[in-house]
Amino acid sequence: MIKKLITMIFFSSLMANAHESVFYVDEKEISTLLEQGGYQEVINLLPKVLPSLRSSEWQTSAKASFTELLKQNLASGNFNGNLEQGNVIKTKFPLLLNDVELMEKVLQSGLIVHPSCRSRFDNQCMSIFGYSLAFNTQGPNQAARLFEDNKNQIASEQIELIQFYEIASRTQRDDICTDPKLQNTIIIAASRTEVIYQKAAINIVVKSCSKFKFPILEDNLHRDDKIQNLMCAPMSKSGQLGKISSMVCKERNLI
């Protein structure tokens, strides 16, 4: 009897949890909330809608709500609130990361909260730049302007810079792709084991800056197994390997 009771309670709990996870939101109710200015309520409700039930109105409602919330926070000076909203966008509404207008407001707020990030590109600042710059069409140009304004202050061997450089290099500007500090940072990133650094190094060299040679990188490739394993194949495919580098990569059976 006790075993049967425990089983009933267990399945009742499962059914209750399943019922709670299925959340139906009437689009008319969402429209009403928007008309009433209940933007935060809309943002709280929308993630509970099952993915299969999310219409185009779902994303439209999300964008409209975030637009108003970010605008209100900027007007009232609640800049930290906008950074929090940026994290909500990143985790629950990733499609909106491509929205230039929204991400620009997050970036503005981030630079007000952390003004030193206009010339400092460490992990704390990259938490702002990472989604404010990387995911919209104006991001590379904004990053390039920050690069131009602060190139003399940027340290030469900060591994945190690789993400910032990767964004800025998408502009394919000569002064960015040939900058010795960028090349030194690539070498450090390419010799690391973390995938995030390796991918950034590859993207810079063979995508954003594919028309350039990287002699400093090649010099290190000749004697560094990690860099050989990472860069031989992509650089060979993009035609960026010199004769000696090609020989080294062929001897290692990497191309």
Side-chain angles (χ1 to χ4, degrees), residues 156-159 161-163 165-166 169 176-192 197-206 208-209 213-214 216-218 220 224 227 230-231 235 240:
S156 61
E157 294 186 351
Q158 287 186 318
I159 189 60
L161 280 175
I162 192 66
Q163 293 170 277
Y165 275 134
E166 198 276 322
S169 68
I176 294 177
C177 289
T178 60
D179 188 270
K181 294 176 182 177
L182 172 135
Q183 297 204 31
N184 287 333
T185 305
I186 289 172
I187 291 166
I188 298 169
S191 62
R192 296 283 289 264
Y197 298 133
Q198 294 179 346
K199 283 186 175 180
I202 291 174
N203 286 340
I204 292 172
V205 175
V206 304
S208 299
C209 300
K213 297 292 185 181
F214 287 83
I216 303 174
L217 175 62
E218 286 196 79
N220 282 265
D224 190 312
I227 296 179
L230 182 70
M231 302 304 297
M235 288 183 72
Q240 290 171 283

Side-chain angles (χ1 to χ4, degrees), residues 230-245:
L230 182 70
M231 302 304 297
C232 276
M235 288 183 72
S236 175
K237 188 175 181 179
S238 63
Q240 290 171 283
L241 287 180
K243 290 183 179 180
I244 296 177
S245 299

